[in-house]
Amino acid sequence: MLQLAYEMSDEDARWVDDTLAKLIERFGAERDRIGGKIPYIAEDGTYKKDMAATPEDLIWWTNGFWPGILWQCYGATQDEKFLQAAREVEDKLDGAFDRYTGLHHDVGFMWLLSAVADYRLTGNERSQARGLHAAHLLAGRYNPRGKFIRSWNRDRAGWVIVDSMMNIPLLYWASDTLGDPRFTYVAEDHADTVMNNTVRGDGSCNHIIVLDPHNGDLLETPAGQGCASGSSWSRGQAWAVYGFALSYRHTGEQRYLDTAKRVANYFTSQVSLTGNVAKLDFRQPADVDWWDALAGCIAACGMLEIARACEGTERDEWVTWAIKLLRATDERFCDWNIEHDGVVTMCSGAYFSEKDRHVPMVYGDYYFLEAVLRLAGKDTLLW
C-alpha cells in the first residue's frame, strides 16, 4: 500500500491506493491512443476532436490539461512515454503564441500545466522561456488604475471572472523564477480586487464582475456561466476555493486563506444537501436536475490545499471533505472502462449551454487525478 500524505481511515486509504492504480493504467491507455493530440470533450467514449488541428482551436483555454495529466503521471511513475507525449503537446502550443490576439487571461491554465510543468520536473530551459513568455502576456493585461487583470478580449476592458484566480499562480512562479517582485504585486492586486468584489458575505461568489476600467469601481455582476446574476455557479465556487488557497501558499497572506475557507464552507454546505456532488448552479431552480462533476474535483484539490495550511482537527476535517467529494464523484460519475476516453463524466460548461452539459471533459480528469495523487503523496505542484 502507498505511503499516504494525509491521515485517513483504512477504507479511504485502500480507495486512494486502488483508484490511483486505475488512473495510471487508464491514462497510460489514453496516452497510447491519442499521444500528442489535445483532447477536450469525449464523445461516446472517444476523444474524436484534436484541439491542435486548427489555429482557432489551438488557443482554447483547456489545452494545458492533457499535458498536465501526462506530467502528473510522469512525476508519479517516471514512465518516459508520458514525458514524450507531454512534450509533443508542448511543442504544438508554441503555435498558440503566434495567435496573440486570441489569447487572454487563461494563459496560466495553458502553460503552467505544460511548459512550466516540464521545467519544474526536468529543468528544461526552453520550457522555462515558454512559461515566462506566458507570464509576461498575463502581466501585460494588468490595469494599474483598477488593480485587476482583465479576463477576456473584445470590448470588455473591465471584465474579470473568478476563474482568473487559477491563472495568477503563473505570476507567482515568474516572480520566484526571475527574482522580480512586480509579478507578485500584480497577482496580489488582482487577488484583492477579486476577493473584495466577487466573494459575498456568505461565501458564495459572482462568476463575473464588470469594473470601471478607469478606477476599478464595481459596475455590475452578470450571470456568466451561472443561471442568473446573484446565483452561485458551482465551478466558480470551486475556482475560488482553490485559487485563494494557492494565493495563500505563494504569499502567506492570511486574508487569502480566510477567503478560501469561507468559500469552501459555503461549498460544503451546498453539496451536503445533494450527496456530496455539486449541482451546476447551487441556486438553480429546484426542478432543474443539472450537475457539474468538475466542481467537486476542483474543490477537492482546493480543500487539500487548505488542509496543508491547517493543523490538527481542522486539517483532518478538510481532508475528510476532499475524500467525500472524490468518492462521491467516483461512485456516481466515473467511467472506468479502459477502452473509453474520459474518466469523469457529467461535467458541464455553462448553465445555458446544452452542447457541453453532462459530458466527460479532460480537465475533470486532471483535477480528479491531481487530488488522488496528492492524497497519495505522489503529486507534483503545477500551480
Side-chain angles (χ1 to χ4, degrees):
M1 182 171 287
L2 294 168
Q3 182 66 40
L4 301 176
Y6 296 92
E7 291 187 11
M8 62 189 78
S9 70
D10 289 343
E11 180 186 351
D12 287 337
R14 285 192 294 272
W15 178 85
V16 170
D17 198 354
D18 293 344
T19 303
L20 180 55
K22 289 194 295 183
L23 286 168
I24 296 297
E25 181 184 24
R26 178 62 177 275
F27 293 130
E30 286 188 6
R31 174 206 63 209
D32 293 343
R33 285 194 294 267
I34 67 175
K37 295 179 181 178
I38 305 180
Y40 176 34
I41 295 174
E43 304 172 52
D44 301 321
T46 302
Y47 285 130
K48 297 178 181 179
K49 184 173 183 178
D50 177 8
M51 300 298 286
T54 69
E56 291 75 20
D57 286 334
L58 188 59
I59 58 174
W60 186 241
W61 72 276
T62 64
N63 287 349
F65 286 102
W66 175 238
I69 288 171
L70 296 168
W71 283 119
Q72 289 286 9
C73 290
Y74 172 72
T77 67
Q78 297 302 297
D79 183 342
E80 291 284 325
K81 291 181 179 179
F82 287 116
L83 177 150
Q84 292 162 6
R87 283 194 170 157
E88 188 176 343
V89 176
E90 184 181 344
D91 288 343
K92 290 177 179 178
L93 286 176
D94 284 349
F97 285 132
D98 296 334
R99 300 277 298 181
Y100 167 76
T101 55
L103 295 173
H104 40 85
H105 72 284
D106 282 324
V107 293
F109 282 128
M110 296 175 72
W111 279 282
L112 274 170
L113 303 180
S114 57
V116 176
D118 190 349
Y119 175 68
R120 281 173 161 150
L121 283 162
T122 74
N124 186 345
E125 292 185 2
R126 177 72 181 107
S127 299
Q128 180 194 51
R130 288 163 164 149
L132 291 173
H133 186 172
H136 280 85
L137 291 176
L138 184 57
R141 303 180 69 84
Y142 177 68
N143 180 317
R145 294 291 187 268
K147 295 189 175 181
F148 64 87
I149 299 168
R150 66 168 292 177
S151 288
W152 291 320
N153 299 331
R154 303 194 300 278
D155 57 344
R156 298 174 174 178
W159 287 50
V160 176
I161 62 175
V162 71
D163 320 36
S164 62
M165 288 302 301
M166 289 300 299
N167 286 278
I168 60 174
L170 180 65
L171 300 179
Y172 297 128
W173 169 79
S175 189
D176 290 343
T177 300
L178 295 174
D180 187 341
R182 66 195 169 105
F183 292 95
T184 291
Y185 298 153
V186 169
E188 287 184 333
D189 280 355
H190 181 77
D192 288 342
T193 297
V194 173
M195 179 179 67
N196 293 330
N197 292 281
T198 296
V199 183
R200 308 181 188 114
D202 65 355
S204 65
C205 297
N206 298 305
H207 176 212
I208 298 174
I209 53 174
V210 179
L211 305 171
D212 187 325
H214 301 290
N215 56 28
D217 288 349
L218 180 63
L219 301 178
E220 58 179 311
T221 57
Q225 288 172 246
C227 67
S229 178
S231 70
S232 179
W233 178 51
S234 61
R235 183 153 33 102
Q237 304 295 140
W239 292 137
V241 172
Y242 200 7
F244 281 107
L246 287 166
S247 277
Y248 172 74
R249 173 188 273 242
H250 289 292
T251 68
E253 294 292 341
Q254 186 66 34
R255 64 187 182 276
Y256 299 142
L257 180 59
D258 292 343
T259 300
K261 289 180 180 180
R262 180 150 51 99
V263 181
N265 279 321
Y266 176 81
F267 193 99
T268 58
S269 75
Q270 299 303 300
V271 296
S272 64
L273 304 174
T274 52
N276 301 326
V277 294
K279 294 180 178 180
L280 207 169
D281 191 307
F282 289 133
R283 295 176 180 171
Q284 67 194 31
D287 60 347
V288 174
D289 192 33
W290 295 343
W291 305 89
D292 186 9
L294 275 161
C297 296
I298 298 164
C301 292
M303 290 174 192
L304 292 175
E305 187 62 35
I306 293 173
R308 180 183 175 275
C310 300
E311 297 179 351
T313 301
E314 185 181 13
R315 173 186 170 93
D316 294 341
E317 288 174 350
W318 288 117
V319 173
T320 297
W321 259 112
I323 293 172
K324 285 181 180 179
L325 295 172
L326 295 168
R327 294 197 66 172
T329 299
D330 179 18
E331 291 164 9
R332 292 183 59 172
F333 298 147
C334 284
D335 175 2
W336 290 111
N337 186 332
I338 198 167
E339 296 181 358
H340 289 176
D341 295 328
V343 175
V344 180
T345 66
M346 298 293 281
C347 301
S348 298
Y351 186 81
F352 291 104
S353 176
E354 294 184 14
K355 63 181 174 61
D356 55 0
R357 184 184 302 140
H358 295 172
V359 295
M361 292 185 179
V362 67
Y363 59 119
D365 287 8
Y366 173 82
Y367 285 104
F368 189 80
L369 171 67
E370 181 186 283
V372 173
L373 282 169
R374 185 166 299 175
L375 286 166
K378 296 178 72 68
D379 70 308
T380 301
L381 178 67
L382 301 186
W383 307 102

